[in-house]
Amino acid sequence: MKKPYLQLSHLDVEFQTKTGVFTALKNVSLDVHDGEFISVIGHSGCGKSTVMNVIAGLTPGTRGGALVNGREVDGPGPDRAVVFQNHSLLPWLTVWQNVELAVNVVFKGRKSKAERDEWIAHNLELVDMSHARDKRPAEISGGMKQRVGIARALSMEPKVLLMDEPFGALDALTRAQLQDSLMRIHSELKNIVVMITHDIDEAVLLSDRIVMMTNGPAATIGEIEPVELARPRDRLALANDPEYNRKREALLRFLYEKQRKVESLPSGPSDDVIGDEPVPALDDTRGVA
Amino acid sequence: MSVIKAFSPQSPTFRLRLGKWLDSAVAETVLLPALGIATFLLLWSVVASQINTSLGAFPGPVQVSQQATALISEHRAEREKEAAFYQRQEDRNAKRLEKEPDFIPKIRAYTGKATYLDQIVTSILTVLTGFVLASLIAIPAGIVIGLSRKVHSAVNPLVQLFKPISPLAWLPLVTMVVSAVYVTDDPMFEKSFINSVVTVMLCSLWPTLINTSVGVANIEPDLQNVSRVLRLGRWTHIRRVVLPSSLPMIFTGLRLSLGVAWMVLIAAEMLAQNPGLGKFVWDEFQNGSSQSLARIMVAVITIGLIGFALDRIMLYLLGRVAWDPETATR
Ligand SMILES: Nc1ncnc2c1ncn2[C@@H]1O[C@H](COP(=O)(O)OP(=O)(O)OP(=O)(O)O)[C@@H](O)[C@H]1O
Ligand SMILES: [Mg+2]
């Protein structure tokens, strides 16, 4: 098989805190191949964002690390673009200028001004945001901001697109719309996508493989669930698909049985128990997703 | 009977009406401030008449407003004298030109004494010059300090040391240095002007410097990450991320600095004998005529009004530059 484009090998991440060393991640290993769509799912605070920050080059690994195209990650690079959880557009720049900022850095010297403008317009078109190009982030809705964040990331023509709960803050309808756009874009560009999510349906609908993380501290990859559904996928048709429902159930089982999150007492954040408590019937938890 | 009852302070309807009336917008913006000022004027005139100084009774509002009018008419008179002075010269030159056609006319400048309004203008010019110079130093320095934790550690003790120094302590040093360094035959500025400007600058640097560095150091981590992921160059980072996001803090600092500058200026002018409001106060104090105290009161009120106006202008500018309307109303 071909060498994986993106590799995490025996990654540990520790943080120095006031109360001592906090081990966020322990021995995380993952291979991702060209064009793969990976979802990372796990309970809040387990270390999903930390994994993403290591790949992005924002947080250094304490031991082990990330390899991209065979080279060790030692900082951010144009081959890895990030869509942040809270869009993180610069509030004082217009939609156009926000994308332009990224394009100017990546394509300075390679594309003429006219070509760059065309490229910005193309990326805004891709996420259906051309109509609001001169608006500022405060003047557009949350879903629109997230679209612009995606356009900004895509405009860097990244080999790896990292997304931290990109649709977490959106209502269900907007989210479905953006998921469809994302599937369309991914099928065109065929880049690697690593997406963190809390949403089980989203993970199954979009992913080629779903990475399930155990609870922290010292979180690691618990299971990896491949999703072998033909593309293009249609959310309505999948509702009654047995494979789709099997995957959904597997995720639910992992999150609510094996890695059941016991609400920690106010006394300390790190005494989460990995649950071997009696498990609620599956039907009780289906609604949570 | 019931009418009297309704208007007695104890009656509930009276209280209700008073309460409603006090809540209305007109009351809040016009009537209550007017009431405050009227009370102040009343107290002032009562208390003033009780205080006897060696220069007579302390001036009340009436004497002070008389002196304010007097100062303005003195200004007018002085301007007329000036116009007349130039007119006389022109007439004389014209006459002489008739007799000797190759005479080159000379106009001597008028050297009358500075009027009260001239002194106000001088003060405002001095404070703005000192403030602008201070800002030109403080903003870039604040950015450098805010961007680098190491620079911050190196500079912070010095900033903390210099910040609380009073203008009165700086002034003798500044005077000596300026007279040693600033030697020209044809000075563009008076030495006293430069002394005041430098003192104002030294004292008003700090709020802007500190606020800028705090604003720059506390840029949202998310935005810092954006900048890192996009790999913005240093200049682009400063121009596109650092400056806009710390602009509200910078302007808050500038506003504080301008307030400090104005306070310092008056003290500096008194001592440096820069022809501004401070010198006016000092001269009147030395003069010790029966009108002096009232004239000083005019100056005191003028100083307050100008300080207030400068603050409002800064607040307005802050509202204009802030990209986030929330920060403008603080
Ligand atoms: N800079 C840091 N210093 C100390 N501890 C940190 C730091 N960043 C993260 N952590 C800790 O590491 C753990 C994992 O954090 P992370 O943000 O990766 O979780 P997450 O899975 O993304 O959570 P969520 O789903 O809520 O976003 C948490 O317990 C967090 O408190
Ligand atoms: Mg997170």
Side-chain angles (χ1 to χ4, degrees):
Chain A
M1 200 174 177
K2 232 185 102 192
K3 248 185 77 185
Y5 187 80
L6 167 66
Q7 233 178 336
L8 294 173
S9 58
H10 307 289
L11 172 71
D12 294 358
V13 175
E14 291 168 359
F15 291 110
Q16 303 294 333
T17 63
K18 286 200 189 78
T19 53
V21 174
F22 176 81
T23 307
L25 296 177
K26 187 83 196 161
N27 199 18
V28 174
S29 293
L30 179 68
D31 290 352
V32 186
H33 292 271
D34 273 344
E36 259 193 309
F37 196 120
I38 303 282
S39 287
V40 181
I41 201 161
H43 284 293
S44 181
C46 69
K48 305 182 293 294
S49 297
T50 308
V51 170
M52 206 195 75
N53 286 341
V54 170
I55 301 173
L58 293 171
T59 305
T62 312
R63 275 174 293 278
L67 291 174
V68 172
N69 204 8
R71 284 195 38 218
E72 177 148 0
V73 169
D74 60 356
D79 50 345
R80 286 153 287 139
V82 182
V83 177
F84 293 91
Q85 180 160 9
N86 59 351
H87 69 77
S88 291
L89 300 178
L90 300 183
W92 41 85
L93 298 184
T94 62
V95 163
W96 178 275
Q97 289 168 327
N98 264 289
V99 179
E100 189 180 35
L101 199 61
V103 170
N104 278 353
V105 172
V106 178
F107 296 103
K108 195 128 236 174
R110 281 202 279 150
K111 283 186 200 265
S112 70
K113 173 88 175 77
E115 283 171 327
R116 276 183 271 150
D117 283 352
E118 198 181 311
W119 179 239
I120 298 166
H122 169 75
N123 280 283
L124 287 176
E125 191 67 45
L126 216 53
V127 295
D128 293 328
M129 281 302 296
S130 308
H131 60 284
R133 49 176 282 179
D134 295 321
K135 292 212 163 113
R136 276 169 212 272
E139 299 164 336
I140 58 178
S141 71
M144 290 161 114
K145 280 184 242 192
Q146 210 50 271
R147 283 171 197 272
V148 179
I150 293 170
R152 180 173 69 183
L154 290 176
S155 75
M156 297 169 71
E157 249 182 354
K159 281 291 287 186
V160 182
L161 181 61
L162 302 165
M163 309 175 97
D164 192 348
E165 291 179 45
F167 312 136
L170 305 178
D171 65 280
L173 282 177
T174 314
R175 198 184 316 160
Q177 224 174 13
L178 286 186
Q179 286 164 351
D180 290 341
S181 314
L182 182 59
M183 279 198 282
R184 196 191 71 229
I185 290 167
H186 179 243
S187 72
E188 280 171 27
L189 302 181
K190 301 203 165 42
N191 48 2
I192 291 177
V193 180
V194 178
M195 181 180 74
I196 294 170
T197 180
H198 273 136
D199 184 334
I200 288 170
D201 290 295
E202 179 170 278
V204 180
L205 178 68
L206 297 178
S207 315
D208 296 313
R209 282 190 296 155
I210 301 169
V211 171
M212 292 178 261
M213 294 193 57
T214 63
N215 289 341
T220 187
I221 294 177
E223 290 172 23
I224 297 182
E225 195 67 49
V227 184
E228 274 134 14
L229 292 166
R231 292 181 188 270
R233 294 172 184 171
D234 174 63
R235 68 179 67 242
L236 287 178
L238 286 177
N240 295 316
D241 188 297
E243 161 80 355
Y244 180 83
N245 284 313
R246 260 199 309 281
K247 292 301 160 188
R248 237 177 136 265
E249 197 174 308
L251 257 63
L252 282 168
R253 240 176 237 296
F254 181 85
L255 289 176
Y256 296 101
E257 286 180 15
K258 298 177 196 160
Q259 294 293 323
R260 197 171 116 85
K261 179 115 174 162
V262 176
E263 279 307 314
S264 54
L265 299 169
S267 59
S270 53
D271 48 14
D272 295 343
V273 180
I274 294 177
D276 35 23
E277 307 230 336
V279 167
L282 252 185
D283 286 336
D284 293 347
T285 54
R286 277 190 87 122
V288 176
Chain B
M1 271 302 145
S2 64
V3 176
I4 293 171
K5 231 185 195 167
F7 281 96
S8 81
Q10 275 80 33
S11 94
T13 43
F14 176 83
R15 286 212 194 144
L16 202 67
R17 279 197 198 158
L18 185 69
K20 261 193 191 155
W21 182 78
L22 286 178
D23 282 343
S24 74
V26 184
E28 224 165 77
T29 54
V30 184
L31 295 171
L32 289 178
L35 192 70
I37 291 171
T39 315
F40 170 74
L41 290 177
L42 193 72
L43 278 177
W44 175 16
S45 49
V46 170
V47 173
S49 61
Q50 308 286 314
I51 304 175
N52 276 303
T53 70
S54 58
L55 297 177
F58 193 85
V62 179
Q63 291 93 313
V64 171
S65 65
Q66 279 166 356
Q67 283 311 315
T69 331
L71 283 169
I72 290 172
S73 38
E74 275 169 35
H75 171 78
R76 290 230 181 84
E78 190 68 24
R79 280 285 181 280
E80 273 161 25
K81 254 165 90 184
E82 186 180 348
F85 175 81
Y86 285 119
Q87 190 61 50
R88 270 204 307 282
Q89 283 197 60
E90 264 175 41
D91 292 348
R92 210 183 303 137
N93 286 336
K95 264 187 204 147
R96 215 170 138 181
L97 260 177
E98 268 172 31
K99 282 185 213 154
E100 336 166 17
D102 41 310
F103 168 71
I104 299 160
K106 261 190 276 182
I107 301 270
R108 273 185 302 129
Y110 180 71
T111 51
K113 73 176 188 9
T115 68
Y116 186 62
L117 297 188
D118 293 336
Q119 282 162 319
I120 294 178
V121 171
T122 310
S123 282
I124 292 177
L125 279 181
T126 317
V127 83
L128 290 182
T129 312
F131 170 70
V132 167
L133 288 178
S135 310
L136 287 179
I137 298 171
I139 294 174
I143 292 174
V144 172
I145 295 169
L147 282 177
S148 156
R149 197 174 279 266
K150 293 198 179 93
V151 176
H152 178 265
S153 308
V155 175
N156 193 40
L158 293 175
V159 173
Q160 300 304 333
L161 179 74
F162 282 118
K163 190 177 61 162
I165 297 175
S166 148
L168 306 182
W170 280 123
L171 198 69
L173 300 174
V174 170
T175 312
M176 295 313 290
V177 172
V178 166
S179 30
V181 175
Y182 188 68
V183 269
T184 56
D185 295 333
D186 179 27
M188 193 156 58
F189 304 108
E190 295 284 336
K191 269 195 184 137
S192 62
F193 173 79
I194 295 188
N195 289 340
S196 306
V197 165
V198 173
T199 310
V200 165
M201 193 184 86
L202 285 176
C203 295
S204 70
L205 269 174
W206 312 110
T208 304
L209 185 92
I210 292 170
N211 273 272
T212 305
S213 67
V214 170
V216 169
N218 291 322
I219 295 170
E220 260 189 70
D222 281 345
L223 295 185
Q224 310 246 40
N225 278 343
V226 169
S227 190
R228 288 178 64 196
V229 165
L230 299 185
R231 295 187 319 147
L232 300 184
R234 179 169 287 268
W235 279 115
T236 320
H237 175 62
I238 291 178
R239 220 161 46 86
R240 292 302 206 177
V241 181
V242 171
L243 269 180
S245 93
S246 44
L247 213 51
M249 274 297 269
I250 294 177
F251 261 78
T252 308
L254 287 175
R255 188 181 161 204
L256 293 172
S257 276
L258 188 55
V260 169
W262 184 240
M263 287 223 205
V264 164
L265 175 79
I266 303 301
E269 281 181 343
M270 274 192 183
L271 290 176
Q273 294 290 298
N274 184 41
L277 279 168
K279 183 173 188 303
F280 173 85
V281 171
W282 186 252
D283 289 348
E284 287 299 334
F285 178 59
Q286 295 296 330
N287 186 1
S289 80
S290 57
Q291 299 149 359
S292 287
L293 289 185
R295 285 175 166 239
I296 291 176
M297 269 314 278
V298 175
V300 166
I301 292 170
T302 311
I303 291 167
L305 286 176
I306 293 174
F308 177 66
L310 291 177
D311 192 56
R312 284 289 122 165
I313 292 170
M314 288 309 290
L315 200 60
Y316 170 76
L317 289 179
L318 173 62
R320 289 296 301 271
V321 299
W323 46 268
D324 176 7
E326 294 276 294
T327 49
T329 48
R330 271 193 307 210

